Amino acid sequence: MSWTAAIGLEVHVQLRTASKMFCGCPTSFGAPPNTQVCPVCLGLPGAMPVMNLEAIRLTVMTGLLLGCRIATRSRFDRKNYFYPDMPKNYQISQYDQPLCLGGALDIGPAGARRSIRLRRIHLEEDVAKSLHYGNSSGIDFNRAGTPLMEIVTEPDLRTPEEAHEFLTELQRVLEYGRISECNLEEGNIRCDVNVSVRRGEDGALGTKTELKNLNTFRGVHRALAAEIRRQIAVLESGGRIVQETRRWNDAAGVTEPMRTKEEEHDYRYFPEPDLMPIELSAEQIEVWRAELPELPAARRVRFVAQYSLPEYDAGVLTADRGVADFFEATVRICGRPKSVSNWVMTEVLRFLSERGATIGHLPLTPAALAELITAVEEGRVSALAGKEVLADLLERGGSPEDVIRAKGLAQVSDDAAIAEWAAQAIAQHPGPAAEYRAGKAAALQFLIGQVMKLSRGRANPKLAAAELRKRLDAG
Amino acid sequence: MSSPAQWTLTETRDRLASREVSSREVVESVLSAIERRNRELNAYVSVNAEAALEEARAADERRARGEFSPLLGVPIGVKDNIAVRGEPCTCASRILQGYRSPYDSTVAARLRAAGAILLGRLNLDEFAMGSSTETSVYGPVRNPWSAEHVAGGSSGGSAAAVAADLAIAALGSDTGGSIRQPASFCGCVGFKPTYGRVSRYGLVAYASSLDQIGPLTKSVRDAALLLDVIAGRDPRDSTTLDVPGLAAEAALMRVGAADLRGLRIGVPAEYFVAGLDPEVERLTRAALRRATELGAQAVEIRLPHTRYAVAAYYLIATAEASANLARYDGVRYGLRVAADGILDMYGRTRAAGFGLEVKRRIILGTHALSAGYYDQYYLRAQKVRTLIRADFAAAFERCDVIAGPVAPTPAFRLGEHLDDPLKMYLSDVYTVPVNLAGICALSVPVGRTAAGLPVGLQLIGPAMGEPTLLRAALGFERERERPS
């Protein structure tokens, strides 16, 4: 029997709140060290925490997006351990009464979707950040107290690829729900994993190890692959897996022992006496439920049904909530969903990926794109010229009509001008002209292309084709 | 005329308002009293005389301009575990030597807003852990009535300063009796408000679910006035209660406020048991008899779970303390003992920085929360807490206030209990149930022992029962006696 892995994830997500979890300090990234601090997040003697209700709302929204049961009563607990990055030497977290229980997230290709069960989602505070120099260390408390949501899965994932896909899909959901900035470079999403292997698919899970220090999704994938290989090698050589926490050494590409089960902290959780329990009414939860955005998977299905788009288009367009919103806003103005989809998927997305930009920051508006597409569809500007106009709009914004006028790109349907370009094309390319006359119809496309080139894209392609055909057939 | 330092808070306020005296004169009088007697009593651990005189001058100017705020120009002493911006906040611990609070506690901010001058920091048991102010790094506070006796604790500095006229009034904190017991030992009024009545923001936490700030004063009216200033909902402390303001002093001014007629006083059998000092019992019973003669009705009540209160208290309080005191690690502020690694630095700093009693409680609390012991200790203690709360709820069906001793004995001798922590803990038997139940209580002086040591009567009220409690206390209050 072959080996199967069972992988569980603990994903820490920094929430998109203006202020910290238990004080009013800002959460913005990149400020000079220790400038976003106060007595509360520094853990000064006598300071007390106050709950950030927006963090609670965002956690409940996440729970609703992932199909969790929302606890009408939950509470915070103190998790005790000494750590220089933790100002109070306890972390305010949630132990046995988390905000969200259960839930699931689907992964896998259409037709073979698999549900990955969640165990819980809870809320806690982030720690500070140590900076090490030569023989001294400094601590930046700007991050201390940032709201941190922890999503814990059941060990339902089977491969490093699945873990990677789960994280990518989760990131998409969090972006869709406007839950987190999801900026991986800034550490908005961090992940611990646990993994075990066993023979075959059934039976009891093997002994698991926990892996720390996984900073990227790719790191998760590589660490899991290495750890699964290590565990199989140990077991196949007759050894036993020790339950322990291991550190991923990214440079060496191996996992290394960090601490064994016996050395694990006893966190001595107990209810946080400085905070009241969180009580959520059913009405409040329903109000939040009504604010939920449509998730990518559901939107994909709707795009196919509502706009008659191919599966592929729907998938590309809904991958990013901003792009999907932009697409729908454009279609609301000009209709023609398939045309809009083509323009967005090719020109707009290429521009975004070249610039590493997001659609929300573009000067191009859905109204401008709708106007341009309408102009192309109605033959007022050629598709080729349309691309040139769009390039301009993507850079500078403005109205398509102005750009068309300024660049003289309005489609030319004037017979005399087209006749002249057609004559020129035939004269310059006698070869293809002869081929056409000899019965090779495809040669006409080449000549149409030449007319478009001569006219800088302005010639009406239908009229150009007719004119070329007329001239070539005539003699 | 007596010197201003001897005046009560309401008296001082009224004489300042009528410009019979200036704030400068009041502050100078208090400073000179401190100068005369603090060396002996050890009540204050630091006094900011210059700043106090400067604030007094400013207060006098404000008053000359016609400004009025309830405590304008009145000096108040503050226990050294309540943060005042710019002042030391050492909790009488070596580990916080050199630390100054960069922010005001809510009570300090409210006192300032009311015009008060926060002139000095008052001694206490280290981190408020003790019943005698003997665990202070600054040494013990002496009882103003007898230098060989303790002032009680942990707010021993506050009680001694008020009783010996080294302060017009003071703030203390009460986790298991730390306001009431020293008030009883020193002969002043000590009030522990309902949990959530006064903000804890800026009170250095010992046991967060039990701690409460309250006044130590020369009269019941003074306690009401100070409570009016410091009480109220605070957005910085989520455990504060959203209830209307007290106006407690105004209520005491009404005609007949001190009338005890019709008051049902619950007398718990469990508070008069073996171990109760005969003189304390005699004075307590005499006060109750006097009250019934004045028209109050004594009702026998039962508080059956009292015998488990001390055990439950010392599990819950130490469990919370073990977390609350974890932050003193040498990393960010206070004492740091250099060492090679971080763990070694933690160990050496805490070994050198904390005293014996604090270490004992941290270890006890850490153990009570440990894997495998949590259910047996912490969880069971929480169940006892629920039962104690239920005891009081049932009792208050039958009475308006409960009366009994504050402590089993009058002030004991310095060092008498120091080597016997259990005996020290057991002396909290009558005060800790109130903190476990989150209700309010006070100590009001009712007499002195043959040796001349004061004895207070404890009056206990239901949650939010401050107005009734203060009215009852006014009825019991006798003319103030001063130590010579």
Side-chain angles (χ1 to χ4, degrees), chain A residues 4 41 46 48 65 70 94 143 226 314 334 348 401 412 423 443 462:
Chain A
T4 322
C41 57
M48 292 178 68
L65 286 168
I70 309 301
Q94 295 193 281
R143 194 179 72 180
C334 69
V348 177
E401 291 301 336
V412 176
K462 280 185 190 139

Side-chain angles (χ1 to χ4, degrees), chain B residues 308-476:
Chain B
Y308 306 111
V310 169
Y313 170 83
Y314 276 95
L315 287 169
I316 292 167
T318 58
E320 292 178 7
S322 72
N324 283 329
L325 272 65
R327 69 189 65 189
Y328 309 105
D329 58 6
V331 173
R332 293 165 306 280
Y333 46 77
L335 180 74
R336 174 189 294 176
V337 179
D340 284 339
I342 184 90
L343 285 176
D344 205 20
M345 191 275 277
Y346 289 155
R348 286 168 188 262
T349 298
R350 290 165 67 83
F354 290 137
L356 188 62
E357 183 59 30
V358 171
K359 285 176 190 162
R360 182 158 33 230
R361 295 196 192 192
I362 290 173
I363 291 168
L364 190 58
T366 304
H367 182 66
L369 290 173
S370 298
Y373 294 98
Y374 180 89
D375 290 2
Q376 177 183 346
Y377 292 137
Y378 185 80
L379 207 61
R380 182 170 293 191
Q382 290 293 6
K383 288 176 183 164
V384 170
R385 188 174 189 170
T386 306
L387 295 172
I388 286 174
R389 203 175 282 140
D391 275 1
F392 280 113
F396 284 119
E397 298 273 313
R398 304 184 50 225
C399 62
D400 304 307
V401 298
I402 294 169
V406 178
T409 64
F412 42 87
R413 286 180 181 277
L414 285 162
E416 192 180 329
H417 292 176
L418 213 48
D419 298 330
D420 189 348
L422 199 58
K423 196 165 180 194
M424 189 83 95
Y425 297 171
L426 287 171
S427 72
D428 298 338
V429 59
Y430 302 131
T431 45
V432 294
V434 166
N435 300 78
L436 289 169
I439 56 182
C440 58
L442 58 75
S443 171
V444 58
V446 288
R448 288 200 281 151
T449 63
L453 291 168
V455 170
L457 173 77
Q458 181 171 219
L459 294 174
I460 302 171
M464 296 298 122
E466 278 87 352
T468 313
L469 203 52
L470 286 161
R471 283 190 53 181
L474 201 61
F476 278 98

Side-chain angles (χ1 to χ4, degrees), chain A residues 11 45 57 77 148 166 168 173 176 204 228 235 255 271-272 291 300 308 329 338 345 347 365 374 391 410 415 426 460:
Chain A
V11 190
R57 187 186 73 88
D77 298 274
L148 206 57
F166 177 90
T168 310
V173 170
Y176 251 76
I228 291 168
L235 293 169
T255 66
E272 166 58 271
E291 292 168 8
R300 197 158 54 220
S308 307
K338 181 55 187 157
M345 286 203 306
E347 304 305 315
T365 62
T374 305
D415 289 344
I426 292 166
N460 181 326

Side-chain angles (χ1 to χ4, degrees), chain A residues 71-118:
Chain A
T72 49
R73 186 184 165 93
S74 66
R75 70 169 184 221
F76 284 102
D77 298 274
R78 292 186 182 177
K79 179 180 183 181
N80 297 286
Y81 61 104
F82 276 75
Y83 185 46
D85 288 353
M86 210 159 52
K88 303 182 292 291
N89 284 323
Y90 60 80
Q91 181 187 30
I92 304 178
S93 181
Q94 295 193 281
Y95 180 51
D96 55 356
Q97 294 183 26
L99 270 166
C100 312
L101 286 160
L105 181 64
D106 293 349
I107 58 165
R113 302 283 283 170
R114 232 159 67 67
S115 199
I116 305 304
R117 292 169 303 152
L118 305 181

Side-chain angles (χ1 to χ4, degrees), chain A residues 7-311:
Chain A
I7 301 165
L9 304 180
E10 288 177 15
V11 190
H12 293 90
V13 181
Q14 278 184 359
L15 297 175
R16 186 202 288 257
T17 56
S19 57
K20 292 188 181 179
M21 187 63 232
F22 298 116
C23 64
C25 290
T27 51
S28 45
F29 182 80
N34 297 314
T35 53
Q36 297 178 345
V37 294
C38 74
V40 176
C41 57
L42 284 175
L44 293 188
M48 292 178 68
V50 176
M51 260 183 245
N52 181 335
L53 296 179
E54 176 64 4
I56 289 170
R57 187 186 73 88
L58 289 173
T59 304
V60 170
M61 291 297 264
T62 307
L64 292 171
L65 286 168
L66 297 173
C68 305
R69 291 193 306 283
I70 309 301
T72 49
R73 186 184 165 93
S74 66
R75 70 169 184 221
F76 284 102
D77 298 274
R78 292 186 182 177
K79 179 180 183 181
N80 297 286
Y81 61 104
F82 276 75
Y83 185 46
D85 288 353
M86 210 159 52
K88 303 182 292 291
N89 284 323
Y90 60 80
Q91 181 187 30
I92 304 178
S93 181
Q94 295 193 281
Y95 180 51
D96 55 356
Q97 294 183 26
L99 270 166
C100 312
L101 286 160
L105 181 64
D106 293 349
I107 58 165
R113 302 283 283 170
R114 232 159 67 67
S115 199
I116 305 304
R117 292 169 303 152
L118 305 181
R119 187 171 292 169
R120 56 185 279 164
I121 306 177
H122 72 253
L123 195 50
E124 58 190 29
E125 53 178 343
D126 208 345
V127 296
K129 207 169 175 175
S130 284
L131 308 158
H132 302 286
Y133 322 91
N135 56 1
S136 70
S137 296
I139 307 175
D140 176 7
F141 288 95
N142 285 354
R143 194 179 72 180
T146 299
L148 206 57
M149 175 174 70
E150 182 171 329
I151 301 171
V152 184
T153 76
E154 296 290 348
D156 285 354
L157 296 155
R158 291 178 196 145
T159 62
E161 289 72 28
E162 281 194 349
H164 190 276
E165 191 189 341
F166 177 90
L167 288 169
T168 310
E169 186 62 30
L170 180 64
Q171 180 182 10
R172 195 171 297 164
V173 170
L174 297 173
E175 277 172 351
Y176 251 76
R178 304 260 193 270
I179 305 295
S180 168
E181 300 287 348
C182 291
N183 189 327
L184 301 182
E185 285 76 40
E186 293 177 8
N188 290 165
I189 303 183
R190 304 191 296 268
C191 187
D192 293 339
V193 307
N194 56 71
V195 56
S196 63
V197 299
R198 62 181 152 164
R199 291 270 188 195
E201 302 263 329
D202 305 314
L205 293 175
T207 303
K208 69 180 175 183
T209 58
E210 193 180 342
L211 307 181
K212 299 249 181 206
N213 195 30
L214 310 173
N215 296 321
T216 61
F217 292 1
R218 207 175 91 83
V220 170
H221 186 284
R222 292 182 61 215
L224 277 170
E227 177 62 11
I228 291 168
R229 269 197 311 275
R230 184 192 72 86
Q231 289 190 8
I232 292 172
V234 167
L235 293 169
E236 287 191 337
S237 63
R240 277 179 53 240
I241 301 299
V242 181
Q243 186 172 338
E244 62 183 350
T245 302
R246 300 176 68 86
R247 183 189 295 109
W248 168 240
N249 182 333
D250 198 67
V254 295
T255 66
E256 298 162 343
M258 195 167 147
R259 55 175 184 252
T260 63
K261 193 186 174 193
E262 286 68 39
E263 295 161 330
E264 288 294 326
H265 296 291
D266 174 1
Y267 291 121
R268 306 190 313 278
Y269 284 100
F270 73 99
E272 166 58 271
D274 284 339
L275 294 167
M276 304 300 281
I278 307 163
E279 308 215 338
L280 296 172
S281 66
E283 294 76 40
Q284 178 61 73
I285 295 168
E286 287 319 304
V287 166
W288 287 340
R289 194 190 299 277
E291 292 168 8
L292 284 182
E294 187 182 20
L295 278 186
R299 204 169 194 185
R300 197 158 54 220
V301 171
R302 179 169 65 80
F303 273 25
V304 171
Q306 182 177 345
Y307 301 119
S308 307
L309 291 179
E311 281 276 354

